[in-house]
Amino acid sequence: SKILVDKDVLIYCGHGSGTRYIPMLSLLRLSVRAVGLLFGCSSAALDQPGALSDPAGVPFAYLAAGSPAVVGMLTSVTDREADYLTLRLLRTWLDAPETPGEPPAELWEAVVRSREAPKFHVTRASLVMYGLPLVRTTGAAVCKPTGPAGHHKGFPVYENAD
């Protein structure tokens, strides 16, 4: 839980959404700063407990606790396909742009580009993002809005809060 509060990004690779390690109720008590990258089966799936209730799930808990964005899988995926998605997403979003002067990839763009990596269409469709469009700044990705002057393509830019 310290990572969620003190760091810019949490990367979870494992079964489900990691609620074995940080239960949803504990998550909701935190002031989350980190973007949640949850690379587990059904980590971004939502449940609708009743006909008249709104959907709920781990991604909404992250957002309610203050996380600016959450990326995860809607369905079950194979470990190999999840690895392809994970590597492509991290390289696309966190590596420096290939062309000097090119703006860094926004998180949603990295999600879209990452969908090219897996071979199964169901895996491609499984990767989703909830939250704000984030732009990685030098050396970090993160969670402090810079205000009206800090917009990129019409969306707020988030910079390292340190």
Side-chain angles (χ1 to χ4, degrees), residues 9-27:
V9 178
L10 168 80
I11 301 171
Y12 172 77
C13 299
H15 297 288
S17 57
T19 54
R20 269 176 61 185
Y21 307 104
I22 305 171
M24 274 205 314
L25 289 177
S26 298
L27 180 64

Side-chain angles (χ1 to χ4, degrees), residues 106 132-136 142 144-159:
E106 295 183 25
L132 299 171
L134 302 178
V135 175
R136 179 187 53 78
V142 189
K144 182 181 171 192
T146 60
H151 280 61
H152 174 73
K153 296 183 185 176
F155 296 110
V157 175
Y158 286 76
E159 293 183 350

Side-chain angles (χ1 to χ4, degrees), residues 38-112:
L38 309 176
F39 297 107
C41 291
S42 303
S43 57
L46 300 177
D47 294 322
Q48 190 166 5
L52 300 177
S53 64
D54 291 330
V58 173
F60 286 178
Y62 270 82
L63 296 174
S67 177
V70 180
V71 174
M73 310 289 185
L74 287 176
T75 62
S76 294
V77 295
T78 66
D79 57 345
R80 181 172 291 189
E81 295 279 284
D83 291 347
Y84 292 151
L85 278 170
T86 303
L87 289 173
R88 177 70 68 90
L89 182 92
L90 294 175
R91 285 183 182 139
T92 304
W93 192 42
L94 299 178
D95 282 354
E98 292 178 13
T99 308
E102 180 183 339
E106 295 183 25
L107 181 56
W108 68 267
E109 289 175 312
V111 168
V112 170

